[in-house]
Amino acid sequence: MIQRITVLGSTGSIGCNTLDVVRRHQGRYQVFALAAGRNAALMAQQITEFTPRFAVMADNDAAIALQALLPAGCATTVLSGSAAMADVAAHADTEMVMAAIVGAAGLLPTLAAARAGKRVLLANKESLVMAGPLFMQAVRDGGAVLLPIDSEHNAIFQALPADYRGDFTLHGISKILLTASGGPFRGRTHAELQQVTPAQAVAHPNWSMGQKISVDSATLMNKGLELIEACFLFNCQPAQVQVVVHPQSVIHSMVQYCDGSVLAQLGQPDMRTPIAYGMAWPQRIEAGVQALDLFSIARLDFEPADEVNFPCLQLARDAFAAGGTMPAVLNAANEVAVAAFLREQIGFTDIPLLIAAVMQQHTVQAVTELAPVLEADQWARECAGRWLLQAGTTLPESGNAC
């Protein structure tokens, strides 16, 4: 039976890799809908190849640009906006949703897929960071199947017992070992990090990713967001998750058990492996990924994360500990900071300064519905914008700019 899939973020790295897996298994999967930001040219190519019923762009201008690229009589209906993205994610005629829109923009359509009981392939970690309790409740209420696609969380999922239901003690689990490559600046001093350029920050040594995620990897914020994600996905606390820097990116994460065993998932640093695993689970399918040659790797190295020169990891721990709306504030401030860095408005080491300043000014609200999360997200972006205005003359060392 052919399974129909909606790909949110189809023109990004994860989306393109997802479509590559679909391409290899066209008798098994069919693209129902594609959704993306503003890359109309690539979306038009994807429509030509996969002929989805719907294509959704971030805004009306992008939708108009896309429509102009499509031939007359094209059967794909072009839509725009976040509401349309949520609609195609929850549509009755799709069984599976790849949630790969980067950042807060992915929250609403991913939440809609969970509420509609879809198989949710979660590559949008921000959905859990911003609204973890609400999202996990939506999964339970909707009867959704939630499968993590981030390589680390997918590895943890594979290394946990098949019947794991969120109880470390019941299954004899000691801790989760969350691996990190260390990014392109592992071992750099604070003075060296002050000279980092955007071009250097987006050049990840192992993974092919978008600019935002690459910068997050370089600051270790990506690992901080993943730590929060792991806590919600696997029902644990930050103290039960140890970040382990593993430069080769061959071991994607591990689970340590009370009997001394450590189970690890190994593979090439290629996102098609976790994507194919999520699409076919509990089966496995060919993903187009080269087999791992242990003899060519020869060695595996491990070291603790440098949280002195890369303070974003601790900021993420602080946000989770504060709870409520604070993780949403962390995420929003980081998105603003990374965008400003990529525009060369601030330096690399200013990213955690901006995030910390915004967090210091936030009054945490309980999250029992979505409204406080969205309000906190908007407040944090405005606060970060005021920080940037002051940064044009003097970089603030505290949160007073907000």
Side-chain angles (χ1 to χ4, degrees), residues 27-76:
R28 182 168 183 152
Y29 304 106
Q30 178 183 353
V31 176
F32 172 76
L34 299 173
R38 296 175 178 82
N39 191 341
L42 181 52
M43 176 64 91
Q45 294 176 23
Q46 292 176 345
I47 290 172
T48 299
E49 179 176 2
F50 295 100
T51 60
R53 191 187 306 180
F54 298 102
V56 189
M57 303 300 288
D59 56 43
N60 191 52
D61 288 344
I64 292 172
L66 173 62
Q67 193 71 67
L69 295 172
L70 298 177
C74 177
T76 298

Coordinates of all heavy atoms in Angstrom, one line a residue, residues 27-76:
G27 N 7.3 3.2 -5.5 CA 6.2 2.3 -5.3 C 5.7 2.2 -3.9 O 4.6 1.5 -3.7
R28 N 6.4 2.8 -3.0 CA 6.0 2.7 -1.6 C 5.5 4.1 -1.0 O 4.6 4.1 -0.1 CB 7.2 2.3 -0.8 CG 7.0 2.1 0.7 CD 8.1 1.4 1.4 NE 7.9 1.2 2.8 CZ 8.4 0.2 3.5 NH1 9.2 -0.7 2.9 NH2 8.1 0.1 4.8
Y29 N 6.0 5.2 -1.6 CA 5.6 6.5 -1.1 C 5.1 7.4 -2.2 O 5.6 7.3 -3.3 CB 6.8 7.2 -0.3 CG 7.3 6.3 0.8 CD1 8.6 5.7 0.7 CD2 6.6 6.2 2.0 CE1 9.1 4.9 1.7 CE2 7.1 5.4 3.0 CZ 8.4 4.8 2.9 OH 8.9 4.0 3.9
Q30 N 4.2 8.3 -1.9 CA 3.7 9.3 -2.8 C 3.7 10.6 -2.1 O 3.2 10.7 -1.0 CB 2.3 8.9 -3.3 CG 1.7 9.9 -4.3 CD 0.3 9.5 -4.7 OE1 -0.2 8.4 -4.4 NE2 -0.4 10.3 -5.4
V31 N 4.1 11.7 -2.8 CA 4.1 13.0 -2.2 C 2.7 13.6 -2.3 O 2.2 13.8 -3.4 CB 5.1 13.9 -2.9 CG1 5.0 15.3 -2.3 CG2 6.6 13.4 -2.6
F32 N 2.1 13.9 -1.2 CA 0.8 14.5 -1.1 C 0.9 16.0 -1.2 O 0.1 16.7 -1.9 CB 0.0 14.1 0.1 CG -1.3 14.8 0.3 CD1 -2.4 14.5 -0.4 CD2 -1.4 15.8 1.3 CE1 -3.6 15.2 -0.3 CE2 -2.6 16.5 1.4 CZ -3.7 16.2 0.7
A33 N 1.8 16.6 -0.4 CA 1.9 18.1 -0.4 C 3.3 18.4 -0.1 O 4.1 17.7 0.6 CB 1.0 18.7 0.7
L34 N 3.7 19.6 -0.6 CA 5.0 20.2 -0.3 C 4.8 21.6 0.3 O 3.9 22.3 -0.2 CB 5.9 20.3 -1.6 CG 6.2 19.0 -2.3 CD1 6.9 19.2 -3.6 CD2 7.1 18.1 -1.4
A35 N 5.6 21.9 1.3 CA 5.5 23.3 1.8 C 7.0 23.8 2.0 O 7.9 23.1 2.4 CB 4.8 23.3 3.2
A36 N 7.1 25.1 1.8 CA 8.5 25.7 1.9 C 8.4 27.2 2.1 O 7.3 27.7 2.2 CB 9.3 25.4 0.6
G37 N 9.5 27.8 2.2 CA 9.6 29.2 2.4 C 9.4 30.1 1.2 O 8.2 30.3 0.7
R38 N 10.5 30.5 0.5 CA 10.3 31.4 -0.6 C 11.1 30.9 -1.8 O 11.3 31.7 -2.8 CB 10.8 32.8 -0.2 CG 9.8 33.4 0.8 CD 10.3 34.8 1.3 NE 9.4 35.3 2.3 CZ 9.3 35.0 3.6 NH1 10.2 34.1 4.1 NH2 8.4 35.5 4.4
N39 N 11.7 29.7 -1.8 CA 12.5 29.2 -2.9 C 11.5 28.7 -4.0 O 11.4 27.5 -4.1 CB 13.5 28.2 -2.4 CG 14.5 27.8 -3.5 OD1 14.3 28.1 -4.7 ND2 15.6 27.2 -3.1
A40 N 11.0 29.6 -4.8 CA 10.0 29.2 -5.8 C 10.6 28.3 -6.9 O 10.0 27.4 -7.4 CB 9.3 30.4 -6.3
A41 N 11.8 28.6 -7.2 CA 12.5 27.9 -8.3 C 12.6 26.4 -8.0 O 12.3 25.6 -8.8 CB 13.8 28.6 -8.7
L42 N 13.2 26.1 -6.8 CA 13.3 24.7 -6.4 C 12.0 24.1 -6.2 O 11.8 22.9 -6.6 CB 14.2 24.7 -5.2 CG 14.5 23.2 -4.7 CD1 15.1 22.4 -5.8 CD2 15.4 23.3 -3.5
M43 N 11.0 24.8 -5.6 CA 9.7 24.2 -5.4 C 9.1 23.8 -6.8 O 8.5 22.7 -6.9 CB 8.8 25.2 -4.7 CG 7.4 24.7 -4.5 SD 7.2 23.2 -3.5 CE 7.0 23.9 -1.9
A44 N 9.3 24.6 -7.8 CA 8.7 24.3 -9.1 C 9.3 23.0 -9.7 O 8.6 22.2 -10.3 CB 9.0 25.5 -10.1
Q45 N 10.6 22.9 -9.5 CA 11.3 21.6 -9.9 C 10.7 20.4 -9.2 O 10.5 19.3 -9.8 CB 12.8 21.7 -9.7 CG 13.5 22.8 -10.5 CD 15.0 22.9 -10.1 OE1 15.6 22.0 -9.6 NE2 15.5 24.0 -10.4
Q46 N 10.5 20.6 -7.9 CA 10.0 19.5 -7.1 C 8.5 19.1 -7.5 O 8.2 18.0 -7.5 CB 10.0 19.8 -5.6 CG 11.4 19.9 -5.0 CD 11.5 20.4 -3.6 OE1 10.5 20.9 -3.0 NE2 12.6 20.2 -3.0
I47 N 7.7 20.1 -7.8 CA 6.4 19.9 -8.3 C 6.4 19.1 -9.6 O 5.6 18.2 -9.8 CB 5.6 21.2 -8.4 CG1 5.3 21.8 -7.1 CG2 4.3 21.0 -9.2 CD1 4.8 23.2 -7.1
T48 N 7.3 19.5 -10.5 CA 7.4 18.8 -11.8 C 7.7 17.3 -11.6 O 7.1 16.5 -12.3 CB 8.5 19.5 -12.6 OG1 8.1 20.9 -12.9 CG2 8.6 18.8 -14.0
E49 N 8.6 17.0 -10.7 CA 9.0 15.6 -10.5 C 8.0 14.8 -9.7 O 7.7 13.7 -10.0 CB 10.4 15.6 -9.8 CG 10.8 14.2 -9.5 CD 12.2 14.1 -8.9 OE1 12.8 15.1 -8.6 OE2 12.7 12.9 -8.7
F50 N 7.4 15.4 -8.6 CA 6.6 14.6 -7.7 C 5.1 14.9 -7.8 O 4.4 14.2 -7.1 CB 7.1 14.9 -6.2 CG 8.5 14.4 -6.0 CD1 9.6 15.3 -6.0 CD2 8.8 13.1 -5.7 CE1 10.9 14.9 -5.8 CE2 10.1 12.6 -5.5 CZ 11.1 13.5 -5.5
T51 N 4.7 15.9 -8.5 CA 3.3 16.2 -8.8 C 2.4 16.1 -7.5 O 1.5 15.3 -7.5 CB 2.7 15.2 -9.9 OG1 2.8 13.9 -9.4 CG2 3.4 15.4 -11.2
P52 N 2.7 16.9 -6.5 CA 1.9 16.8 -5.3 C 0.5 17.4 -5.6 O 0.3 18.2 -6.5 CB 2.7 17.7 -4.3 CG 3.4 18.6 -5.2 CD 3.8 17.9 -6.4
R53 N -0.5 17.1 -4.7 CA -1.8 17.8 -4.8 C -1.7 19.2 -4.4 O -2.4 20.1 -5.0 CB -2.8 17.0 -4.0 CG -4.2 17.5 -4.3 CD -5.3 16.9 -3.4 NE -5.3 15.5 -3.3 CZ -6.1 14.8 -2.5 NH1 -7.0 15.4 -1.8 NH2 -6.0 13.5 -2.5
F54 N -0.9 19.5 -3.4 CA -0.8 20.9 -2.9 C 0.7 21.3 -2.8 O 1.5 20.5 -2.5 CB -1.4 21.0 -1.5 CG -2.9 20.8 -1.5 CD1 -3.4 19.5 -1.0 CD2 -3.8 21.7 -2.0 CE1 -4.7 19.3 -1.0 CE2 -5.2 21.5 -1.9 CZ -5.6 20.2 -1.5
A55 N 0.9 22.6 -3.0 CA 2.2 23.2 -2.7 C 2.0 24.5 -2.0 O 1.2 25.3 -2.4 CB 3.0 23.5 -4.0
V56 N 2.6 24.7 -0.8 CA 2.3 25.8 0.0 C 3.6 26.6 0.2 O 4.7 26.1 0.6 CB 1.8 25.4 1.4 CG1 1.3 26.6 2.2 CG2 0.7 24.4 1.3
M57 N 3.5 27.9 -0.1 CA 4.7 28.8 0.1 C 4.4 29.7 1.4 O 3.3 29.8 1.8 CB 4.9 29.7 -1.1 CG 5.2 28.9 -2.4 SD 6.6 27.8 -2.3 CE 7.9 29.0 -2.4
A58 N 5.5 30.3 1.9 CA 5.4 31.0 3.2 C 4.5 32.2 3.1 O 3.8 32.5 4.0 CB 6.8 31.4 3.7
D59 N 4.5 32.9 1.9 CA 3.7 34.1 1.8 C 3.1 34.2 0.4 O 3.5 33.4 -0.5 CB 4.4 35.3 2.2 CG 5.7 35.5 1.4 OD1 5.7 35.3 0.2 OD2 6.8 35.9 2.0
N60 N 2.2 35.1 0.2 CA 1.5 35.3 -1.1 C 2.5 35.6 -2.2 O 2.3 35.1 -3.4 CB 0.4 36.3 -1.0 CG -0.5 36.3 -2.2 OD1 -1.0 35.2 -2.5 ND2 -0.7 37.4 -2.8
D61 N 3.5 36.5 -2.0 CA 4.4 36.9 -3.0 C 5.2 35.6 -3.5 O 5.4 35.5 -4.8 CB 5.4 37.9 -2.5 CG 4.8 39.3 -2.3 OD1 3.7 39.5 -2.8 OD2 5.4 40.1 -1.6
A62 N 5.6 34.8 -2.6 CA 6.3 33.5 -3.0 C 5.4 32.6 -3.8 O 5.8 32.0 -4.8 CB 6.9 32.8 -1.8
A63 N 4.1 32.6 -3.4 CA 3.1 31.7 -4.1 C 2.9 32.2 -5.5 O 2.8 31.4 -6.5 CB 1.8 31.7 -3.3
I64 N 2.8 33.6 -5.7 CA 2.6 34.1 -7.0 C 3.8 33.8 -7.9 O 3.7 33.5 -9.1 CB 2.4 35.7 -6.9 CG1 1.1 35.9 -6.2 CG2 2.5 36.3 -8.3 CD1 0.8 37.4 -5.9
A65 N 5.0 33.9 -7.3 CA 6.3 33.6 -8.1 C 6.3 32.2 -8.5 O 6.7 31.8 -9.6 CB 7.5 34.0 -7.2
L66 N 5.8 31.3 -7.6 CA 5.8 29.9 -7.9 C 4.8 29.6 -9.1 O 5.1 28.9 -10.0 CB 5.4 29.1 -6.7 CG 5.2 27.6 -6.9 CD1 6.4 26.9 -7.5 CD2 4.7 26.9 -5.6
Q67 N 3.6 30.2 -8.9 CA 2.6 29.9 -9.9 C 3.0 30.4 -11.3 O 2.7 29.7 -12.3 CB 1.3 30.7 -9.6 CG 0.1 30.3 -10.3 CD -0.5 28.9 -9.9 OE1 -0.9 28.7 -8.8 NE2 -0.4 28.0 -10.9
A68 N 3.8 31.4 -11.4 CA 4.3 31.9 -12.7 C 5.3 30.9 -13.3 O 5.5 30.9 -14.5 CB 5.0 33.3 -12.5
L69 N 5.9 30.1 -12.5 CA 6.9 29.1 -13.0 C 6.3 27.8 -13.4 O 6.9 27.0 -14.1 CB 8.0 28.8 -11.9 CG 8.9 30.0 -11.5 CD1 9.7 29.6 -10.3 CD2 9.7 30.4 -12.7
L70 N 5.0 27.6 -13.1 CA 4.4 26.3 -13.4 C 3.7 26.4 -14.7 O 3.1 27.5 -15.1 CB 3.4 26.0 -12.3 CG 4.0 25.8 -10.9 CD1 2.9 25.5 -9.9 CD2 5.0 24.7 -10.9
P71 N 3.6 25.3 -15.5 CA 2.9 25.3 -16.8 C 1.4 25.4 -16.6 O 0.9 25.1 -15.6 CB 3.3 24.0 -17.4 CG 3.6 23.1 -16.2 CD 4.2 24.0 -15.1
A72 N 0.8 25.9 -17.6 CA -0.7 26.0 -17.6 C -1.3 24.6 -17.5 O -0.8 23.7 -18.1 CB -1.2 26.7 -18.9
G73 N -2.3 24.5 -16.7 CA -2.9 23.3 -16.5 C -2.3 22.4 -15.5 O -2.7 21.2 -15.3
C74 N -1.3 22.9 -14.7 CA -0.6 22.1 -13.7 C -1.6 21.7 -12.6 O -2.4 22.5 -12.2 CB 0.5 22.9 -13.0 SG 1.3 22.1 -11.7
A75 N -1.6 20.4 -12.3 CA -2.6 19.9 -11.4 C -2.4 20.3 -9.9 O -3.3 20.1 -9.1 CB -2.7 18.4 -11.5
T76 N -1.2 20.8 -9.6 CA -0.9 21.1 -8.2 C -1.5 22.4 -7.8 O -1.4 23.4 -8.5 CB 0.6 21.2 -8.0 OG1 1.2 19.9 -8.3 CG2 1.0 21.6 -6.6

